[in-house]
Amino acid sequence: MRPMTTIDWKDVQDAAAIIRAGGLVAIPTETVYGLAADATNDRAIASIYEAKGRPRFNPLIVHVTGAEMANRFVEMTPRARALADEFWPGPLTLVLKRRPDCPISLLASAGLETLGVRAPAHPLAQALLGAIDRPLAAPSANRSGAVSPTRAEHVRESLGEAVDMVLDGGPCPVGVESTILKLDGEKAILLRPGGITAEEIERVIGRPVERADQTAAIEAPGMLASHYAPNAAIRLEATSPGPREAFLAFGAAPANHPHTLNLSESGDLREAAANLFAHLRALDALCAEEKLNAIAVAPIPDEGLGEAINDRLRRAAAPRQK
Ligand code: TXA
Ligand code: MG
């Protein structure tokens, strides 16, 4: 284990090469270790969910060098800027609106219109972000349901071979996850308490912070009413599409159906997860344009990443919360 401030540039270069190639690197942050991948690479993001063994797609926090980089991806409102000026780099995640041209994987934000961004204060995390000049999506580097790792050894114990490299930055000085604050119009909503207190935030924004329902906001972000749901009706377990349906295929598909997108022709679940949100959106738009009745969805095996894909599809097919 190394002291936190020593930077081994060879390690940083190796980590950067792995990230650029779509691999996974566990990185130290001041809060906990994160399991990082290129946030713009859908396949790499799918590997994160696979490595964590999560049965659901939870939105991931996207790590940036600072406010300037964040501004490429989300709308940094004046209040967001003020908070970033005060607390970044540091343990504050801001949930903000994605820019229309945001290149971050839709899978990273689980199909939401918003994105959680933060600038980590750990010098190794900053060195890696600077070296790749790309955003890094990183949930805590533990298997789903396990406690967050605060030492490199914890990551190796929890994730083993599922991670391509562990950047050892010593023990994490803060040890609890970042505070998550959602800025929505006039509102500032605390989604998760963490390294920065509500009082500290209130001092900067000059108004009270609202507390979100913990269970709804964090345990089940996929159930939030704001979660992306297609406008089109969804028909699951469809072995073939009807004439007035769009088709979300998986594996072999009828060659001549005009409105088909395939999650993975080869039946690869990682590729399917990577394509899921983008394909759903595209078919939803197509249904509106072509006045189709529904999106028919091929059966997806309920194993590995298939479990999370099916969870998301069932939500998309469920009656809408209005
Ligand atoms: O300190 C931390 O925040 C660590 C380090 C690695 O940065 N990361 C972390 O990530 O704790 P994770 O995946 O374990 O927790 C991320 C949580 C999600 O479960 C979700 O509740 C919330 O952040 N989140 C992320 N993006 C969101 C969004 N767009 N809207 C609402 N909640 C979001
Ligand atoms: Mg976590």
Side-chain angles (χ1 to χ4, degrees):
M1 204 163 65
R2 302 193 183 94
M4 172 179 150
T5 44
T6 313
I7 291 187
D8 182 330
W9 287 98
K10 169 79 171 65
D11 280 355
V12 172
Q13 289 312 325
D14 289 350
I18 292 169
I19 296 284
R20 284 196 197 98
L24 302 183
V25 177
I27 60 165
T29 80
E30 76 281 28
T31 59
V32 300
Y33 276 77
L35 181 61
D38 177 351
T40 63
N41 180 334
D42 289 307
R43 286 264 206 153
I45 302 301
S47 314
I48 290 183
Y49 290 109
E50 196 173 41
K52 286 194 58 109
R54 215 173 245 250
R56 261 188 277 130
F57 296 126
N58 251 13
L60 308 178
I61 294 172
V62 170
H63 297 72
V64 292
T65 46
E68 214 169 298
M69 190 172 180
N71 193 45
R72 291 175 7 206
F73 313 121
V74 290
E75 288 171 10
M76 290 292 286
T77 58
R79 271 194 313 170
R81 285 240 172 230
L83 288 165
D85 282 349
E86 187 72 21
F87 300 116
W88 284 2
L92 177 66
T93 295
L94 296 173
V95 174
L96 298 162
K97 255 176 81 181
R98 288 173 74 108
R99 285 189 178 280
D101 58 348
C102 177
I104 305 248
S105 160
L106 281 172
L107 185 60
S109 51
L112 294 170
E113 301 290 347
T114 55
L115 196 67
V117 288
R118 88 175 187 98
H122 198 289
L124 257 180
Q126 281 287 337
L128 179 59
L129 282 164
I132 56 172
D133 190 33
R134 286 187 207 180
L136 287 173
S140 52
N142 51 274
R143 281 192 68 81
S144 177
V147 293
S148 294
T150 53
R151 289 168 185 265
E153 304 88 272
H154 301 166
V155 179
R156 292 195 192 95
E157 284 161 20
S158 191
L159 294 173
E161 298 296 301
V163 42
D164 297 307
M165 180 179 180
V166 181
L167 267 182
D168 189 344
C172 301
V174 177
V176 294
E177 288 96 338
S178 62
T179 301
I180 303 180
L181 186 74
K182 181 171 179 175
L183 295 178
D184 183 7
E186 285 298 294
K187 286 194 252 174
I189 309 147
L190 188 70
L191 297 182
R192 178 176 78 184
I196 304 281
T197 66
E199 292 67 31
E200 289 176 282
I201 293 167
E202 286 167 349
R203 224 174 292 140
V204 174
I205 62 174
R207 57 172 291 151
V209 162
E210 296 172 35
R211 317 284 159 136
D213 179 296
Q214 294 281 308
T215 328
I218 288 123
E219 294 305 315
M223 302 208 191
L224 291 178
S226 61
H227 215 86
Y228 171 73
N231 290 311
I234 305 279
R235 184 167 71 87
L236 299 177
E237 306 286 333
T239 41
S240 63
R244 297 302 300 157
E245 285 181 333
F247 191 42
L248 186 61
F250 178 80
N256 49 6
H257 190 72
H259 308 302
T260 299
L261 283 179
N262 205 321
L263 288 170
S264 169
E265 279 177 26
S266 63
D268 174 13
L269 288 167
R270 192 185 296 176
E271 184 183 14
N275 287 328
L276 178 66
F277 289 101
H279 279 12
L280 269 179
R281 276 174 193 256
L283 290 181
D284 197 18
L286 193 69
C287 280
E289 250 170 62
E290 304 282 331
K291 307 209 170 10
L292 302 175
N293 298 335
I295 304 174
V297 182
I300 315 283
D302 209 31
E303 64 200 31
L305 278 174
E307 204 184 327
I309 295 173
N310 283 324
D311 169 75
R312 192 64 196 84
L313 287 169
R314 276 193 299 274
R315 287 172 203 276
R320 301 293 130 75
Q321 305 165 299
K322 290 276 178 208

